[in-house]
Amino acid sequence: MSSNRKSVESTHSGVEDKFDPTVVKVGPADHAVNRDEVLNSEHAGEQYDNVPIEKRTIGLTSAVFLIFNRIIGTGIFATPSSILASSGSVGLALFMWVIGAIIAATGVAVYLEFGTGLPRNGGEKVYLEAIYRSPKFLVTCTYASYAVLLGWAAGNSVVFGEYILHAADVEITQWNQRGVGLACISFALIVHSTRLEWGLRIQNLLGTFKIVILLLIAFAGFAALAGHVKVDPKPRNFHNAFDGTKSNANAFVTGLYSVIWSFIGYSNVNYALSEVKNPVRTLKIAAPLAIISVTILYILVNIAYFAAVPKDDILNGGRIVAALFFRNVFGRSAEKALSVFVALSALGNIMSVLFSQGRIVQELGREGVLPFSRFFASNKPFNAPAAGLLTHYLVSVVIMLAPPPGDAFNFCLNLVSYPLAIINAAISGGLIYFYFYKRHEWSPPFRATIPVVIFFFLSNLFLSVAPLVPPEDGSKVYNDLPYWLHVVVSIGVFAIGTAYWVVWARIMPALGNYKRERRWVLQSDGVSRSVFTKVPA
């Protein structure tokens, strides 16, 4: 790569300087230099910020498994029943998985463009800040509320407890299920907070394990299609496959949310690009490889489910459809053992989610947005973002324990999928703006292309609006909660961020007769962060 190309990939003609940070403290003398010197250094293009090389510990293999572990959690094992209930037919359920895969693929392209253009920690936060610069700091505060107050690891923790108890042949209750889930997420917190390398090794091992399980189901599905199942009468789900199809928009989107939730994670490496070796090259290989592999496995696994499990059993099976598949194909003894394997898959996802979300909170601390930002920004004492990890852990535990037992999983799922649809619509809409109005300033190494970006934008716009349509009679999103609750809670979370911005960025400076300015400093752990200083107005 030429030095000129390095400079283009690193600076993008000013798009990245969204806060105009003009000073960076570097070196043992802590002297100030122009930030362009850092951006145009020998690592420019592969290093957006001045993270020491020794801090970059994530290689290509770990990057691929970070995505695998984040995508392949419990979605493919726990959501087929709710997707079939929302669609009404086997044919539409399979079609939903295809639609979800297409949306995910376009999402990969959009995040690839932003990730290669701005290769640093933070994911959506960095991209939103690059797009929406006015009012100053508003998008940062709003995103901070979204990142801090939503517990992404809650849903898979619930399913982990359910499958472990099912394997142990213990009656599943509200509290023993959540108690086992609490132990699971606590284990992930301890490992990631104290032993970063071991956390990555466990994730890689569980990622390999997940692929083996999915391949086992997929190949067993071919045997099921040939009629080798231990159930009579044999399922005939592919005859009149579209019989019972529902046409309600709310029901369709509810099912599609479950599909999309099963694909969430294709942008997982984007949250930790400052820790990735050769981040541009690594991301361009890891993300497409992971999403293509997962899509093929998901389609094959769904065909296997429908080949081995009768439609009524899937509808009544709740979140243990995979266990029913194992029972019908391999027998009851295999059902118990393979339920443990599904639980381990959930553990891998929980570890991957906690890994990425903890780093988002840390990045917000480095930016100086959160109270006690130095605490959240530090990697002490074990060279891991323990404060950020603990924050996401606590929020996930609250969300896991709060909802009624019958609605806990679906509420956790929708509370992740709905606000993410809003975030994705904002990011892809901003990229469309870049294409038409900033095309000479925005020059990333990878382009998603305008048709792909528009499709991703319209898909997420639809997913943001359709849940407002009431479900038809006989169809419901939750058992005991109102169908719109996740929408209201999500909007409330964004509103909290806006209120925080009004107080922090407007009222407090006005009352104190000062303005906030941002400066970059180098921490003792070698990683830079921005801090706010109060300057007389």
Side-chain angles (χ1 to χ4, degrees):
M1 185 186 296
S2 68
S3 59
N4 181 61
R5 176 65 180 275
K6 290 178 182 177
S7 177
V8 169
E9 289 185 2
S10 177
T11 63
H12 307 301
S13 302
V15 169
E16 85 295 342
D17 284 333
K18 45 207 173 286
F19 297 116
D20 299 324
T22 55
V23 175
V24 184
K25 295 182 179 180
V26 296
D30 213 30
H31 62 280
V33 298
N34 188 284
R35 181 161 173 78
D36 287 341
E37 292 181 30
V38 177
L39 294 176
N40 294 318
S41 67
E42 60 177 316
H43 303 295
E46 286 288 350
Q47 181 170 328
Y48 178 77
D49 48 12
N50 58 325
V51 175
I53 296 299
E54 61 271 16
K55 297 292 183 182
R56 295 183 178 271
T57 58
I58 301 173
L60 177 59
T61 300
S62 291
V64 171
F65 280 112
L66 272 175
I67 300 174
F68 271 137
N69 272 311
R70 180 63 184 90
I71 297 179
I72 306 173
T74 56
I76 187 61
F77 305 115
T79 62
S81 177
S82 62
I83 293 168
L84 180 59
S86 297
S87 64
S89 69
V90 171
L92 184 57
L94 288 173
F95 188 58
M96 280 184 175
W97 283 97
V98 174
I99 295 174
I102 294 172
I103 294 174
T106 57
V108 166
V110 169
Y111 278 86
L112 257 177
E113 176 159 348
F114 271 118
T116 57
L118 300 170
R120 61 167 302 178
N121 276 6
E124 298 101 335
K125 171 190 167 295
V126 174
Y127 316 144
L128 290 169
E129 289 171 342
I131 299 165
Y132 304 101
R133 306 189 216 177
S134 180
K136 199 171 185 180
F137 308 135
L138 173 59
V139 73
T140 305
C141 293
T142 304
Y143 184 82
S145 179
Y146 159 80
V148 172
L149 297 180
L150 294 179
W152 290 57
N156 281 308
S157 299
V158 171
V159 176
F160 176 88
E162 190 165 0
Y163 267 91
I164 285 292
L165 293 170
H166 180 77
D169 205 18
V170 174
E171 182 182 358
I172 299 171
T173 67
Q174 175 183 359
W175 295 111
N176 66 5
Q177 176 192 36
R178 300 183 192 193
V180 175
L182 178 62
C184 173
I185 192 174
S186 299
F187 169 78
L189 171 70
I190 293 170
V191 171
H192 276 322
S193 297
T194 60
R195 294 290 184 267
L196 175 61
E197 291 186 0
W198 273 104
L200 290 174
R201 288 170 185 166
I202 293 173
Q203 286 183 193
N204 290 353
L205 177 63
L206 291 174
T208 304
F209 185 75
K210 290 178 187 183
I211 296 172
V212 171
I213 293 299
L214 290 179
L215 286 172
L216 174 63
I217 295 175
F219 284 113
F222 290 113
L225 284 172
H228 300 291
V229 292
K230 302 178 183 297
V231 61
D232 191 46
K234 300 187 187 305
R236 297 173 60 85
N237 291 325
F238 296 107
H239 294 271
N240 299 319
F242 286 91
D243 184 41
T245 296
K246 297 179 181 179
S247 58
N248 180 260
N250 190 295
F252 179 82
V253 171
T254 298
L256 198 56
Y257 273 152
S258 296
V259 175
I260 290 173
W261 185 74
S262 301
F263 279 100
I264 286 176
Y266 51 76
S267 63
N268 205 32
V269 176
N270 293 60
Y271 300 126
L273 283 174
S274 293
E275 301 172 57
V276 174
K277 303 172 184 176
N278 302 318
V280 171
R281 174 184 175 275
T282 299
L283 186 61
K284 289 167 73 173
I285 297 174
L289 176 62
I291 198 65
I292 291 172
S293 302
V294 168
T295 296
I296 294 172
L297 286 173
Y298 275 9
I299 298 299
L300 290 176
V301 167
N302 272 280
I303 291 174
Y305 288 156
F306 289 123
V309 185
K311 181 179 178 180
D312 288 342
D313 287 355
I314 294 176
L315 289 171
N316 297 322
R319 290 176 291 276
I320 58 170
V321 172
L324 298 178
F325 172 85
F326 296 142
R327 182 194 65 193
N328 289 358
V329 176
F330 300 108
R332 289 192 175 276
S333 58
E335 175 186 357
K336 303 297 183 183
L338 292 174
S339 292
V340 176
F341 298 160
V342 174
L344 291 175
S345 175
L347 172 61
N349 181 270
I350 292 165
M351 294 190 69
S352 184
V353 169
L354 201 62
F355 179 91
S356 59
Q357 295 301 120
R359 277 152 181 78
I360 294 176
V361 176
Q362 182 187 52
E363 185 69 14
L364 290 166
R366 288 175 178 168
E367 292 288 334
V369 177
L370 300 179
F372 313 107
S373 61
R374 186 183 298 273
F375 169 73
F376 286 104
S378 176
N379 274 332
K380 295 179 179 180
F382 299 108
N383 193 33
L389 294 168
L390 178 63
T391 300
H392 190 72
Y393 166 85
L394 293 175
V395 173
S396 296
V397 168
V398 170
I399 293 177
M400 178 174 60
L401 299 179
D407 291 323
F409 177 76
N410 287 335
F411 182 72
C412 292
L413 185 154
N414 291 331
L415 200 55
V416 168
S417 300
Y418 184 78
L420 183 61
I422 296 175
I423 293 289
N424 283 338
I427 288 176
S428 51
L431 190 54
I432 293 171
Y433 170 79
F434 274 11
Y435 278 5
F436 287 102
Y437 298 101
K438 298 285 184 180
R439 58 184 179 276
H440 299 303
E441 302 175 33
W442 177 243
S443 303
F446 176 87
R447 290 279 191 177
T449 72
I450 191 66
V452 168
V453 180
I454 290 177
F455 177 83
F456 189 60
F457 170 73
L458 293 177
S459 300
N460 283 282
L461 191 64
F462 173 74
L463 292 170
S464 301
V465 174
L468 301 175
V469 179
E472 62 184 6
D473 293 338
S475 177
K476 56 184 180 179
V477 178
Y478 303 113
N479 293 325
D480 301 308
L481 300 175
Y483 74 91
W484 41 258
L485 184 62
H486 59 281
V487 176
V488 173
V489 172
S490 300
I491 294 174
V493 167
F494 289 123
I496 290 173
T498 303
Y500 178 75
W501 170 79
V502 170
V503 173
W504 178 77
R506 287 290 186 264
I507 295 177
M508 290 176 61
L511 293 177
N513 196 31
Y514 65 84
K515 62 180 180 179
R516 296 188 185 275
E517 289 190 1
R518 187 182 296 241
R519 293 289 184 268
W520 289 81
V521 299
L522 192 69
Q523 300 183 128
S524 59
D525 60 6
V527 178
S528 64
R529 73 180 180 101
S530 62
V531 297
F532 288 96
T533 57
K534 298 178 181 179
V535 179

